[in-house]
Amino acid sequence: MIILSGGTGTPKLINGLRHLVPDEELHIIVNTGEDFYESGVLVTADIDTLLYLFSGDLDTSKWWGVRNETWHTYDHLKRLGYDELLPLSDFDRAVNILRTDLLNSGKTLTQATEIIAGKLGVSADICPMTDGKVDTMITMKDPETGIVSREHYQNFWVGKKGRPEILKVEREGADQADLTEKVRRLLEDPDEKYVIIGPSNPVTSIGPILSVSGMRDLLKTKTVIAVSPIIGNEPVSGPAGKLMKACGMDVSSVAVAEVYRDIIDIFVCDIRDSIMTPEEASVFEKDGICIERYDTLMKSGKESAELASFILKLFDGCWNGKTNKCRNHS
Ligand code: GDP
């Protein structure tokens, strides 16, 4: 099973999926558009969340960082007058040092991730969306000074706590980013029939993955189920609403389904969602996309496992065995 993931909503779903599918059978294509260099090391925020989820180190009360972390190096740096945009715990920093060293010695990000996964005892397959460089860049206006600047996403979300008005979102480098050989082989493998697009931010998590050249076309050959990260007019957490508005989108599950229209077979929106009305759903259904409803709010492992189980049943129900695409979902 293939899953497209960012660093919060989809990892929650994967946490539930792990009760039903062995880790070795999970292939996760992960957003790298939020990766950035800090204190001399490459921080791959979403990849690390997944590595730590599978290694059992993730702090699942926050869905980032590791449990029982220590901050000795960060504290020493601060005493020396050096502050970090994203404070790195000691464990996290060690992983980032190893990754950066592997990259400097000529390994690709895919290879470096495999090596680190092996060292952490992770048997799931965690695949960076590309080995190229894609940076999510935000043009923003400071609410106090009115100054407009174009900065990396992490400066907007972590540095400025998501406060500035967003004027533009760009995926720098996306037009030159290629699929990795590993991801290509995975998506061309006829035995890998099913893809889940998890409830992640459609602009800054799933959007960059879909922007990698060739990704959308290969996904069209699969049976794809997407889960909405938006309930009503609000994301469950994070800046997705603000980012969607800045991209000229409505903040709704309908707008998310629209982004995935050409690749999905089934779209799961929340039972509380009043915007995906039967009339809205019928517009998608005319195009062969089934709209399903379920409780998608994952407050605990129990809800994650129930949503994961619902998705697996949908795959079972829609696979017609003849073509590579779901066409007779009932
Ligand atoms: P990021 O890399 O931290 O931005 O994480 P993601 O893009 O993977 O996840 C952020 C998105 O997950 C937000 O748009 C949230 O609305 C969504 N999200 C978080 N928790 C849940 C949940 O329990 N259910 C649903 N449906 N969406 C969620």
Side-chain angles (χ1 to χ4, degrees):
M1 174 157 304
I2 299 169
I3 303 146
L4 310 193
S5 184
T8 308
T10 308
K12 286 187 193 174
L13 176 60
I14 292 171
N15 198 31
L17 212 46
R18 292 184 76 195
H19 296 288
L20 307 163
V21 182
D23 285 0
E24 305 76 56
E25 291 177 21
L26 297 176
H27 304 276
I28 304 158
I29 303 177
V30 189
N31 171 42
T32 61
E34 294 169 23
D35 296 3
F36 70 114
Y37 271 89
E38 172 173 75
S39 305
V41 293
L42 179 66
V43 181
T44 58
D46 292 353
I47 288 176
D48 290 349
T49 294
L50 287 155
L51 285 171
Y52 303 157
L53 173 68
F54 283 100
S55 70
D57 293 301
L58 185 68
D59 181 345
T60 49
S61 65
K62 304 183 288 180
W63 289 93
W64 57 268
V66 289
R67 288 177 214 276
N68 307 321
E69 48 203 343
T70 58
W71 301 91
H72 299 301
T73 307
Y74 175 72
D75 289 342
H76 286 304
L77 284 169
K78 260 198 123 166
R79 275 181 26 215
L80 294 169
Y82 182 95
D83 204 358
E84 287 182 321
L85 176 69
L86 185 69
L88 297 176
S89 71
D90 296 316
F91 179 95
D92 210 7
R93 191 184 306 276
V95 169
N96 290 323
I97 288 173
L98 174 57
R99 170 184 304 113
T100 309
D101 193 52
L102 289 165
L103 293 173
N104 289 341
S105 73
K107 300 278 190 247
T108 62
L109 184 59
T110 297
Q111 292 166 332
T113 306
E114 280 173 353
I115 292 168
I116 295 167
K119 291 187 187 297
L120 293 177
V122 172
S123 47
D125 182 23
I126 303 190
C127 310
M129 65 185 201
T130 180
D131 285 329
K133 190 164 150 45
V134 178
D135 288 311
T136 298
M137 301 298 292
I138 307 288
T139 303
M140 61 192 128
K141 190 170 173 187
D142 188 287
E144 272 110 52
T145 62
I147 292 172
V148 172
S149 59
R150 183 177 179 274
E151 299 178 43
H152 192 276
Y153 173 77
Q154 299 286 3
N155 288 354
F156 162 75
W157 180 235
V158 183
K160 303 191 179 185
K161 305 201 171 5
R163 286 197 202 103
E165 180 190 346
I166 304 174
L167 304 178
K168 197 172 183 186
V169 183
E170 289 165 288
R171 294 185 192 117
E172 195 171 274
D175 45 356
Q176 287 112 52
D178 289 323
L179 284 175
T180 63
E181 258 321 293
K182 189 177 176 194
V183 169
R184 179 181 298 285
R185 264 189 276 116
L186 190 59
L187 291 171
E188 286 176 348
D189 182 348
D191 291 334
E192 289 295 338
K193 300 182 180 87
Y194 303 138
V195 177
I196 299 174
I197 301 180
S200 282
N201 188 323
V203 177
T204 53
S205 294
I206 304 299
I209 301 177
L210 298 180
S211 74
V212 174
S213 153
M215 188 75 76
R216 271 185 185 269
D217 284 343
L218 284 169
L219 287 171
K220 285 178 193 164
T221 67
K222 305 287 179 192
T223 300
V224 182
I225 297 182
V227 181
S228 179
I230 306 289
I231 303 179
N233 285 118
E234 297 282 344
V236 176
S237 60
K242 203 166 179 173
L243 288 154
M244 288 172 78
K245 271 191 206 146
C247 294
M249 298 162 70
D250 288 337
V251 183
S252 70
S253 55
V254 174
V256 179
E258 205 53 66
V259 175
Y260 305 151
R261 181 184 271 278
D262 58 330
I263 44 177
I264 55 172
D265 299 277
I266 300 179
F267 186 76
V268 180
C269 59
D270 195 88
I271 37 166
R272 302 162 189 84
D273 195 310
S274 56
I275 303 203
M276 182 68 86
T277 58
E279 293 71 39
E280 291 284 0
S282 71
V283 177
F284 289 100
E285 281 162 359
K286 275 192 200 112
D287 280 353
I289 298 165
C290 304
I291 305 293
E292 295 281 349
R293 288 182 178 274
Y294 201 75
D295 182 351
T296 68
L297 207 49
M298 296 172 280
K299 291 182 288 250
S300 70
K302 181 175 169 285
E303 283 114 0
S304 300
E306 284 169 358
L307 178 58
S309 164
F310 178 71
I311 292 170
L312 294 190
K313 283 191 194 123
L314 289 177
F315 277 129
D316 269 353
C318 74
W319 178 247
N320 67 20
K322 287 191 193 129
T323 84
N324 228 9
K325 205 69 181 157
C326 163
R327 284 287 169 251
N328 65 347
H329 170 253
S330 55

